[in-house]
Amino acid sequence: MVQTQGADIGLIIIGNVVMSWAYACLMVPNRVINGGVTSLALILSHDLPWPLVWLNNGLLVVLLSLVALFLGRMLFLKSLLSSVVFSMSFTLSYQYLPHFTGHPLVALLLASVLVAFGYYACLSSHSSTVGVDVIALILKKY
């Protein structure tokens, strides 16, 4: 049981770091909208005066609150870890790492593979990525 939870925590961390890097350095600089929280923040940042990072992190807090209200303590705790790691990693990656602004199709293909891995790592660890998957998890439960 302890080894399984340790492996879950490791997968959650790795998955979120990889996923946040893909969003911050590949998708956002190329203005790729894929329908997730970061994409929603990107759309909102066009019309609102707040920085993209603030909007992204604010949406994560709202979705994490929904996890706490509807999906139970264990999923909340793992999702809390997921959201903290994603938020910190996205913020640092967006602000300090080089952004790929080559051909958008290359960025999209690479980001798709990395984001898919990140989702797999989180969901296989019985965690939420604290993205729009929260809505799907709530709908599935009820």
Side-chain angles (χ1 to χ4, degrees):
M1 178 77 176
V2 173
Q3 280 185 326
T4 302
Q5 285 199 351
D8 285 353
I9 290 170
L11 271 175
I12 292 167
I13 291 170
I14 290 168
N16 275 286
V17 168
V18 168
M19 193 168 24
S20 65
W21 179 83
Y23 279 113
C25 298
L26 296 170
M27 294 183 100
V28 170
N30 288 285
R31 313 219 30 100
V32 174
I33 304 296
N34 73 342
V37 170
T38 304
S39 294
L40 183 55
L42 190 59
I43 292 167
L44 292 173
S45 73
H46 187 286
D47 294 321
L48 296 174
W50 303 303
L52 174 71
V53 170
W54 290 11
L55 291 167
N56 190 70
N57 293 344
L59 289 169
L60 288 175
V61 168
V62 169
L63 289 166
L64 187 60
S65 299
L66 293 176
V67 172
L69 288 171
F70 295 106
L71 296 174
R73 183 176 179 268
M74 187 53 76
L75 187 66
F76 171 74
L77 292 174
K78 287 183 177 182
S79 297
L80 178 62
L81 171 66
S82 187
S83 67
V84 168
V85 171
F86 183 91
S87 180
M88 288 175 37
S89 183
F90 178 83
T91 300
L92 294 173
S93 296
Y94 184 72
Q95 291 180 344
Y96 299 111
L97 293 180
H99 297 173
F100 176 81
T101 54
H103 196 284
L105 184 57
V106 173
L108 177 62
L109 291 173
L110 181 56
S112 296
V113 170
L114 296 173
V115 169
F117 168 78
Y119 271 105
Y120 166 77
C122 291
L123 296 176
S124 68
S125 300
H126 308 289
S127 175
S128 166
T129 60
V130 193
V132 292
D133 64 304
V134 166
I135 296 165
L137 291 169
I138 292 169
L139 289 173
K140 179 182 175 193
K141 182 174 180 179
Y142 294 98

